[in-house]
Amino acid sequence: MAFTLKKHVLSLTYEPKVIPVLTGKCQQTIRTGRRFRKGELIMFHGWTGRPYRSPWSFRTPYYCIKEVIDIEITPDCLIDLRTLTGLSWDSPEMDEIARLDGIDPPTGEELFAVLSRLNKIPDTGVPGQIIRWI
């Protein structure tokens, strides 16, 4: 029985992040859900127009996922499930996570604003992952 490496194909729609991902300056994304594992492959693409109704505008090579951090995203904070530590959106730690994620401006508050625009974040929170690749 042959082992098949799981590959993920994700759209990248946050415009300030596209060039940093394509040039290798950004190697992190935060996604809701918990479907990624270390060692799997991840590839990104963009759209020429409306998502799912237009051709792809770019695609990256597959990257190997080197780290996956399970988190809970709430309106008040991001909870790191490794340590059960809640990081307030206005903390210096969240500013660093935003910088690594290609958020413009690189602040935790803006990171939450972007996550809220792209995902429904209920008051009770939503599971998520910080995914880093090489």
Side-chain angles (χ1 to χ4, degrees):
M1 182 160 118
F3 173 74
T4 304
L5 188 60
K6 189 163 185 181
K7 295 179 178 181
H8 302 275
V9 178
L10 301 175
S11 63
L12 187 58
T13 58
Y14 178 65
E15 192 61 37
K17 189 173 181 164
V18 172
I19 296 300
V21 167
L22 292 175
T23 60
K25 293 180 179 176
C26 177
Q27 298 178 339
Q28 172 182 292
T29 190
I30 297 174
R31 301 290 170 134
T32 57
R34 299 230 173 89
R35 62 187 181 122
F36 301 95
R37 300 287 172 255
K38 182 179 177 178
E40 295 176 344
L41 300 178
I42 191 167
M43 185 259 284
F44 298 93
H45 71 88
W47 303 99
T48 58
R50 282 185 60 194
Y52 304 102
R53 290 178 169 64
S54 63
W56 288 2
S57 59
F58 68 86
R59 70 173 148 184
T60 67
Y62 279 100
Y63 302 115
C64 183
I65 297 174
K66 69 176 182 177
E67 183 177 23
V68 176
I69 302 168
D70 288 339
I71 58 173
E72 190 75 20
I73 303 165
T74 76
D76 297 324
C77 65
L78 181 145
I79 301 168
D80 182 335
L81 295 180
R82 297 172 302 179
T83 60
L84 297 179
T85 303
L87 301 171
S88 173
W89 295 108
D90 63 355
S91 69
E93 294 88 356
M94 285 309 305
D95 292 349
E96 177 61 10
I97 290 172
R99 184 189 69 76
L100 291 171
D101 209 64
I103 301 301
D104 184 28
T107 66
E109 292 99 333
E110 184 62 20
L111 173 57
F112 181 71
V114 169
L115 289 171
S116 296
R117 279 194 304 270
L118 297 174
N119 307 277
K120 182 174 170 59
I121 310 291
D123 289 341
T124 56
V126 64
Q129 292 178 309
I130 298 174
I131 302 134
R132 296 181 177 147
W133 61 87
I134 51 177

